[in-house]
Amino acid sequence: AGGLPSVEAGRRIAVADIAAVQQRFDRLGRLTRLDIALAPGARQEAVAEDIAALLPAGARLSTPEAESRRTGDLSRAYRVNLGMLAMVALLTGGFLVFSAQSLSIARRRAAFALLRVLGLPRTGLFLQVLAEGAVLGLLGAAAGLAAGAGLAWSVLGLLGGDLGGGYFSGSRPALDISPGWAAIHASLGLVVALAGSLLPALEAARAAPALALKSAGQSGDPRRRPALLPALALGLVGLAFAFAPPVAGLPLFGYLSIALILAAGVAAMPWLARLLIAPLARMEAPVPVRLAAARLAGAPDQAAVALCGLVASAGLMAAMGLMVASFRGSVDDWLGAILPADIYLRVAEAETSGLDTGLQARLAALPGVGGLEARRSLTLRLAADRPSVVLLAVPVPGGAAAPDLPWRRGPVPAAPGETPVWVSEPLSRLYDLAPGDTLDLPLAGGRTPVRVAGVWRDYGRQFGALAMDRRDYVRLTGDAGANEAGLTLAPGARLPEVLQGVRAALPPDLAAQTEAAPAGEIRRAALRIFDRSFAVTYALEAVAILVGVAGVAATVSAQTLARRREFGMLRHVGASRGQILAMLALEGAFLGAVGAVAGLALGAAMGQVLIQVVNPQSFNWTMDTRWPLGLLGGLALALTLASSFTALLAGRSALSADAVRAVREDW
């Protein structure tokens, strides 16, 4: 009769008179929702108590606030984890600021020393470098907000609000830029820039002016052993935080644990660089190898500056790669466990109708069909302030005590006279259920007590599902229909022919809302959705690696410029230009290799926190660890080659000056 105004794009909604709907769908006298407005002056709590006393056992009383909170919970973990992933990119940007400021200070070491000699106090120099960092932060934040708005607009237009995951297909949300959040993001950029400038500012202020005027090398004593205790303390505290419970359902301590483990790895870089490189300086090797190893072993602080951004980005990428590989492998195994049949049917939006017993029998008798397992799935509300859960009425083979599910705990046999149910891992975590516990289900207008007989792994329903023997479901509800079915092929049957016969056997009014597909196709489609969902993760990981390599380039460039006189001296004593370039390339390769080793070790630790802490506390499911050896090996090789290449490029510009002019100040 007309169109609906102000309906969100992509949503398929029809509105009709309730009496006509009840008559057409054979639901006379049945209602699923009542919206109640209070009279002026009525107290909500008192009215709620009176209404609750009149409701049937299967009904739940809720408020607009609870409904808003429930719908917000549907995407909260997704939004928080995506936000934390964005914070990772911001963190690696802080390391880039640190490398850029270190480069700037190395270039101006003599100028800063002159300012100190002319009377500028240490505090003034410290504040000057911090002010430069603040300007960088403000300019970067402004450019980042503009670029972020443009990228967000493009991503929403191309992929939608779920980044191509397929969860909210058909909708294209409008770009919403909040001034408050924009100010918070800009403030975060400023804080990260100031934090990245803090250590270079302290280094510039502490440098002795007389020494800085003559030498641009490492200011500390190269014989001093780098401290390891701060790194151990940070690592132990981060490990302790990994065992902390969630806060308001969010893994805040898990993220803090990852941050502290990352800080511990960066703090251990001077010690680790000397530990791994010092043996190279003592071995008999060609001159460029010995020079490169001696240089890095004698200046561990400078090596740490070059490594911090690289180790951070490599560690974060390894951690995310480990988590994604583990998640994907576990999802693949889970799909294989829950899709044992050859063909699956699903009647969309049919919780009370669908495949009646006659149609089930006709489908089971089709040529090429060796067996049919029908099931009913419907939603239940176990708590008014929580999202609905899914009840699966599944067949249990004769003689078996439980269905064939990917078990986490159990199954255990139920006592005589009890109705067993098997809860998914998310439901077990959200409602604190374990095998042996009891639960009341709102079925057939009443409350049915059931016994939890096992916990199974489920990645398809984040807010929980429970399985029940279909015979028990029919006995309790009288509903022998089904809205899902799995068909097994008979020996020698061809899948395309059987699938065509199944579709032809469906009544015309039911065929339009029935999805029929082979199990392999469903599995591939689910994995495609998984890969699209994590595509943004891979993109941010690539950005983090680029930032890390840029940090190496900036730091090596700074040290190369500061070492012009060293290169001139080497040329005077007989080193060729090719040998010096080889030395610089080897220094970069050594840095990349050390960064890869440290980054992979850090990534393994942080990846376990993601797998064992962050994911269970965010999404209420666990996974088995899978080691993506190809990805990790490729990452280590790429970092080593990229670091060597950037060091070589930086060295070519430094060696362009004449060797005599480079050492003229030492005459």
Side-chain angles (χ1 to χ4, degrees):
L4 290 174
S6 304
V7 175
E8 181 182 346
R11 296 193 65 187
R12 294 173 293 179
I13 298 175
V15 176
D17 176 68
I18 188 170
V21 172
Q22 287 178 320
Q23 182 178 7
R24 291 285 186 174
F25 290 89
D26 192 23
R27 297 179 65 87
L28 292 175
R30 298 180 63 185
L31 299 174
T32 57
R33 170 171 165 168
L34 296 174
D35 290 346
I36 301 172
L38 300 186
R43 290 178 59 250
Q44 179 172 313
E45 295 80 4
V47 176
E49 292 179 1
D50 295 339
I51 294 175
L54 301 175
L55 293 178
R60 284 285 184 271
L61 195 63
S62 184
T63 63
E65 294 80 10
E67 288 296 307
S68 176
R69 186 167 57 250
R70 182 180 66 85
T71 54
D73 288 344
L74 292 173
S75 62
R76 184 180 65 160
Y78 182 79
R79 290 182 282 112
V80 169
N81 280 277
L82 199 59
M84 295 308 299
L85 196 60
M87 289 296 293
V88 167
L90 186 62
L91 178 64
T92 54
F95 286 113
L96 183 58
V97 172
F98 171 69
S99 300
Q101 287 288 70
S102 299
L103 168 63
S104 174
I105 290 171
R107 284 177 170 173
R108 297 181 292 166
R109 192 182 299 274
F112 286 157
L114 181 60
L115 290 175
R116 290 291 315 283
V117 170
L118 294 176
L120 182 66
R122 293 179 184 270
T123 305
L125 190 57
F126 174 77
L127 293 177
Q128 175 187 338
V129 177
L130 277 188
E132 294 175 359
V135 172
L136 283 175
L138 290 174
L139 294 177
L145 288 176
L151 285 173
W153 180 81
S154 301
V155 168
L156 287 175
L158 293 174
L159 302 178
D162 57 0
L163 303 179
Y167 305 110
F168 315 124
S169 59
S171 64
R172 288 291 183 268
L175 182 64
D176 181 15
I177 300 179
S178 168
W181 279 107
I184 292 175
H185 295 156
S187 301
L188 287 174
L190 177 60
V191 168
V192 167
L194 289 174
S197 303
L198 183 60
L199 288 180
L202 288 173
E203 179 187 354
R206 291 172 178 171
L211 181 61
L213 283 172
K214 291 296 294 178
S215 174
Q218 176 151 319
S219 58
D221 186 354
R223 296 169 296 180
R224 177 179 58 85
R225 295 182 63 85
L228 184 61
L229 188 59
L232 289 177
L234 287 171
L236 290 175
V237 175
L239 182 62
F241 281 168
F243 293 92
V247 178
L250 297 174
L252 300 184
F253 282 108
Y255 289 121
L256 188 56
S257 172
I258 291 175
L260 290 175
I261 292 174
L262 180 61
V266 172
M269 277 303 98
W271 177 85
L272 184 62
R274 175 168 290 186
L275 176 69
L276 296 179
I277 295 175
L280 297 175
R282 297 191 293 267
M283 65 183 293
E284 291 296 329
V287 171
V289 178
R290 288 160 51 187
L291 286 176
R295 166 68 186 180
L296 295 177
D301 291 342
Q302 293 178 3
V305 170
L307 285 170
C308 64
L310 188 65
V311 169
S313 57
L316 291 168
M317 181 172 184
M320 292 302 299
L322 176 60
M323 188 275 292
V324 173
S326 300
F327 198 3
R328 195 182 192 279
S330 297
V331 169
D332 196 8
D333 290 345
W334 169 75
L335 287 170
I338 66 168
L339 298 174
D342 298 301
I343 297 175
Y344 283 89
L345 300 179
R346 178 178 178 273
V347 183
E349 306 296 333
E351 291 194 353
T352 58
S353 58
L355 310 174
D356 57 34
T357 54
L359 182 56
Q360 296 173 34
R362 290 195 299 274
L363 291 174
L366 288 175
V369 175
L372 181 144
E373 291 186 347
R375 63 173 61 187
R376 168 74 76 191
S377 66
L378 65 156
T379 57
L380 300 178
R381 183 73 66 83
L382 299 183
D385 58 345
R386 293 190 181 185
S388 300
V389 303
V390 178
L391 172 64
L392 302 172
V394 299
V396 176
D404 187 13
L405 294 171
W407 298 106
R408 291 290 296 167
R409 284 179 288 172
V412 298
E418 292 183 334
T419 302
V421 296
W422 304 276
V423 301
S424 69
E425 191 175 26
L427 188 67
S428 172
R429 289 177 173 270
L430 288 170
Y431 291 86
D432 194 22
L433 295 172
D437 293 343
T438 58
L439 181 66
D440 287 341
L441 297 184
L443 288 176
R447 308 294 297 181
T448 302
V450 295
R451 178 76 64 179
V452 176
V455 179
W456 51 285
R457 176 171 283 174
D458 181 30
Y459 294 121
R461 291 157 282 260
Q462 180 184 342
F463 296 99
L466 64 156
M468 170 186 287
D469 189 343
R470 188 160 179 262
R471 291 168 296 188
D472 290 333
Y473 174 79
V474 174
R475 172 176 55 84
L476 293 171
T477 64
D479 178 16
N483 53 2
E484 298 177 7
L487 287 77
T488 304
L489 298 185
R494 299 183 57 192
L495 191 147
E497 295 176 358
V498 176
L499 184 60
Q500 183 178 3
V502 168
R503 289 171 174 163
L506 295 173
D509 59 336
L510 192 61
Q513 54 180 325
T514 301
E515 303 168 3
E521 181 180 318
I522 297 173
R523 189 170 182 170
R524 289 190 295 270
L527 292 177
R528 281 197 302 269
I529 291 174
F530 181 95
D531 292 334
R532 287 201 304 267
S533 300
F534 282 94
V536 66
T537 301
Y538 295 121
L540 289 178
E541 288 176 1
V543 170
I545 290 297
L546 291 177
V547 168
V549 174
V552 171
T555 307
V556 171
S557 299
Q559 299 306 321
T560 302
L561 292 172
R563 295 164 60 191
R564 288 178 183 271
R565 281 174 288 180
E566 175 191 334
F567 299 149
M569 180 272 294
L570 290 174
R571 294 295 303 276
H572 274 290
V573 298
S576 67
R577 188 172 185 270
Q579 287 179 315
I580 297 176
L581 287 176
M583 177 190 71
L584 290 174
L586 287 170
E587 286 183 14
F590 289 155
L591 285 174
V594 172
V597 170
L600 293 182
L602 273 180
M606 294 187 295
Q608 287 302 311
V609 175
L610 287 172
I611 292 171
Q612 307 295 340
V613 178
V614 172
N615 267 283
Q617 292 184 2
S618 296
F619 303 105
N620 302 301
W621 50 51
T622 60
M623 63 190 75
D624 300 322
T625 300
R626 307 292 178 92
W627 296 96
L629 299 181
L631 172 65
L632 299 180
L635 173 63
L637 180 62
L639 289 177
T640 302
L641 294 178
S643 299
S644 177
F645 184 68
T646 54
L648 185 62
L649 289 180
R652 290 177 63 87
S653 61
L655 290 175
S656 60
D658 186 77
V660 176
R661 293 200 308 269
V663 295
R664 68 183 185 276
E665 297 177 7
D666 294 328
W667 294 350

